[in-house]
Each structure stands twice: as C-alpha cells, then as structure tokens.
Amino acid sequence: MKKLKPKEIEDIRRAAELLFLSKNAIVLSGAGISTESGIPDFRGDSGIWEKYKPEIYGNIQSFLTDPSKFWKMAEDIAPTLFSAEPNPGHYAIADLEKMNIVKAVITQNIDQLHQKAGSIIVYEVHGNINRFTCLGCRASYNKEQILRKLKKEKKQVPGCNYCGAPLKPSVVLFGENLPNFEKYMSIDLAKKSDLMLIAGSSLEVAPICDLPLYTLSEGGKLIIVNDEPTGLDKRAEIVLNNKTGTILPLIVEQIKKMIVEDELKN
Ligand code: NAD
C-alpha cells in the first residue's frame, strides 16, 4: 500500500466524521470498486475491453441484429465475473450498512459483489448476471440453467426451451432503459440523501451520472473516492483520489473509533 499523504489522512478523518454525523447516507458504486477483485472497468487499458468495445458488443441494437457477438464476449468475461470475490472496499461498505450509517447502495455493477460482501439493501440499476430472459416469450432462466444449457447444446447463442428465441442476460445494455423500479428508487434515494459516498465511478455513464446532482440540489453533500478525477470533484465536499480498497476500510476504522469515543462520553 502506498504511504498516504497528510492531506489524505485528514480527508479520511473528515469523510468518517461526515458519515458518522449523517442521517441518511447512501453509496453510489461503479466498476472501479470491483477492479481490485480482478474485474476490469471500462476506462482502464484492460485487454478485454480493447478486444470487445462495450459500446459495440454490449449494445442492444447489435444484440438484436446478431446476439452471437455478445455471447462470444460473455464466454470470455463470464469466468472472471462468476469467480470474483469481494475486496476490502465491498466489505467496508457492508460494514457501514451494519453500523446503520449507510442506508442503501446503488450500484452500476452487475457482479453482485456487494451482496457477496454482506450488503443487503442494494439497487442494481444495470441489472445483474444471475438471470436471463427470452426475447421472444419472456421465459426466465437462472445462471445455472444457462451454464448447463451452453455445455449440453454447444450452441453459441442459448435459445429458449419454449419458443427458441435468443436468451439475454438481465443486464442493461447500451441503448436500453434502466429497470423502472431501480431507476425511480435510486432517484428518490438520491434526493432524500444528506450524504452520497461515490466509490469507483467515472460518473460518465448516463443517466446514473445525474444521481449525485439530485443529492446536491436538495442540499446533500458528496464524498468521492476514485483513483482519477471526475467531473463532479469541484462540487464534492471531499475527494480522495486513491483505491477504494485502501480508503474505504480506513474510513470505517475511523468511524469505529468515533463510535467508541461517543459511547465513552455518554
Ligand atoms: P467506469 O469504468 O466508467 O469508471 C470506473 C472508475 O473507477 C474510473 O474512473 C477508474 O479510474 C476508477 N477506478 C478503477 N479502479 C479503481 C479502484 N480500485 N479504486 C478507485 N477507483 C478506481 O465505471 P462506471 O462509472 O461504473 O460505468 C461503467 C459501466 O460499466 C457501468 O454501467 C457498469 O455497469 C459497467 N461495468 C460493470 C462492471 C462490474 O460489474 N464490475 C465492470 C465493468 C463495467
């Protein structure tokens, strides 16, 4: 771990204090929180996304025209997604929920690592990799059924048992709308939140990049933990340009000390 600068140590303490004093803190996470679990994000120079441009391979129009392209990418990426384990950043967020500080996690990630780490109130605004839907008759399949099907049928694109139409994972592709419940819930949570902790997101993917603006417009504050600058840094109370797996556990450690000090005072 790189030695922290004095300013970072002070910012970690201030972030902990803001969270400790908050009434309705929420987390907005992005692909960056999962890179330390071995899942590449879209922005870094990972070979996967160089080989399969997400905007092309993960686009609903190209899926409808030729689903085999998407399924070829999935074959390459799925083993990493399915075998990934949470890292200290995910566990720190789950700890914040257990301490009743974080009231909900809104995640753009499809990897389910927040839930694996123990977070319970998680809104997956871009869906997840555990369900698959038939584009013809809307029949629904789970991950295990699809893996068995792929192994048995040896087809590049798994088809529906009932109508034969191609199956699509329940992840939101470029050009698709967000699931309604998660969309309206996350807007409502962002508006009501007095503090949004943003972890590992470039804040460039619409419409989720607008959620922090709802928090700001209602008088809430932002803490951004991201290893590179984002477009909202100027409007954030605290910005920590470092790894989420390093910073978030340190914030939790500080809050635990504050809780003990508070108990001793009362
Ligand atoms: P993004 O790829 O646009 O941005 C990730 C940000 O995290 C970047 O700014 C990067 O510099 C930063 N980052 C990378 N590793 C970090 C670390 N260890 N600590 C702190 N910061 C780190 O991600 P996004 O904003 O979530 O938007 C991209 C889209 O990609 C989302 O829609 C998401 O659904 C999808 N996606 C998801 C996964 C996943 O489920 N794990 C992986 C790749 C892409």
Side-chain angles (χ1 to χ4, degrees), residues 31 35-36 42-43 108 110-111 126 201-202 226-228 244:
T35 56
E36 290 165 86
F42 280 170
R43 315 281 141 185
Q108 301 170 79
I110 56 168
D111 54 33
H126 290 164
S201 176
S202 62
N226 202 60
D227 69 1
E228 63 172 11
T244 45

Side-chain angles (χ1 to χ4, degrees), residues 158-172:
C160 179
N161 292 345
Y162 304 97
C163 73
L167 301 179
K168 178 188 163 293
S170 304
V171 298
V172 176

Side-chain angles (χ1 to χ4, degrees), residues 29-36 39-44 49 54 81 87 90 107-113 125-127 129 172 174 199-206 208 225-230 240-246:
S29 73
I33 196 168
S34 295
T35 56
E36 290 165 86
I39 304 174
D41 62 12
F42 280 170
R43 315 281 141 185
W49 304 127
L81 274 175
N87 66 60
H90 298 104
T107 188
Q108 301 170 79
N109 297 341
I110 56 168
D111 54 33
Q112 301 226 300
L113 291 184
V125 284
H126 290 164
I129 46 169
V172 176
F174 283 94
S201 176
S202 62
L203 296 175
E204 281 176 18
V205 175
I208 290 309
V225 184
N226 202 60
D227 69 1
E228 63 172 11
T230 77
L240 281 145
N241 286 141
N242 206 325
K243 302 282 179 204
T244 45
T246 301

Side-chain angles (χ1 to χ4, degrees), residues 25-230:
I26 59 171
V27 168
L28 172 62
S29 73
I33 196 168
S34 295
T35 56
E36 290 165 86
S37 293
I39 304 174
D41 62 12
F42 280 170
R43 315 281 141 185
D45 22 67
S46 147
I48 290 188
W49 304 127
E50 278 306 309
K51 197 163 148 198
Y52 306 106
K53 286 277 173 230
E55 296 82 351
I56 299 165
Y57 279 81
N59 180 298
I60 186 64
Q61 276 316 322
S62 19
F63 189 97
L64 294 174
T65 313
D66 177 8
S68 69
K69 273 191 182 169
F70 175 90
W71 278 100
K72 188 165 170 10
M73 168 177 81
E75 199 182 320
D76 246 13
I77 296 167
T80 310
L81 274 175
F82 290 152
S83 62
E85 290 296 331
N87 66 60
H90 298 104
Y91 287 114
I93 289 174
D95 277 349
L96 290 172
E97 183 182 337
K98 284 186 199 114
M99 294 153 99
N100 198 26
I101 287 176
V102 160
K103 305 297 190 290
V105 177
I106 300 167
T107 188
Q108 301 170 79
N109 297 341
I110 56 168
D111 54 33
Q112 301 226 300
L113 291 184
H114 284 297
Q115 292 94 327
K116 273 197 188 173
S119 289
I120 293 172
I121 317 265
V122 183
Y123 296 96
E124 297 171 307
V125 284
H126 290 164
N128 68 54
I129 46 169
N130 276 352
R131 288 223 72 77
F132 297 75
T133 310
C134 168
L135 290 181
C137 68
R138 311 307 287 169
S140 173
Y141 299 79
N142 64 29
K143 184 177 82 185
E144 286 68 32
Q145 289 170 309
I146 295 299
L147 291 176
R148 274 202 301 276
K149 211 172 175 25
L150 284 168
K151 206 168 156 192
K152 194 167 140 213
E153 295 175 6
K154 297 199 173 14
K155 282 189 195 150
Q156 205 171 20
V157 178
C160 179
N161 292 345
Y162 304 97
C163 73
L167 301 179
K168 178 188 163 293
S170 304
V171 298
V172 176
L173 301 184
F174 283 94
E176 276 191 299
N177 292 327
L178 302 192
N180 268 332
F181 179 80
E182 281 75 7
K183 178 178 164 185
Y184 291 112
M185 199 59 170
S186 58
I187 292 175
D188 193 48
L189 283 165
K191 282 183 182 168
K192 287 180 181 153
S193 174
D194 57 347
L195 184 62
M196 179 186 275
L197 169 61
I198 298 165
S201 176
S202 62
L203 296 175
E204 281 176 18
V205 175
I208 290 309
C209 56
D210 290 337
L211 287 179
L213 302 178
Y214 289 109
T215 301
L216 287 170
S217 68
E218 299 292 322
K221 293 176 178 161
L222 308 180
I223 298 173
I224 300 180
V225 184
N226 202 60
D227 69 1
E228 63 172 11
T230 77

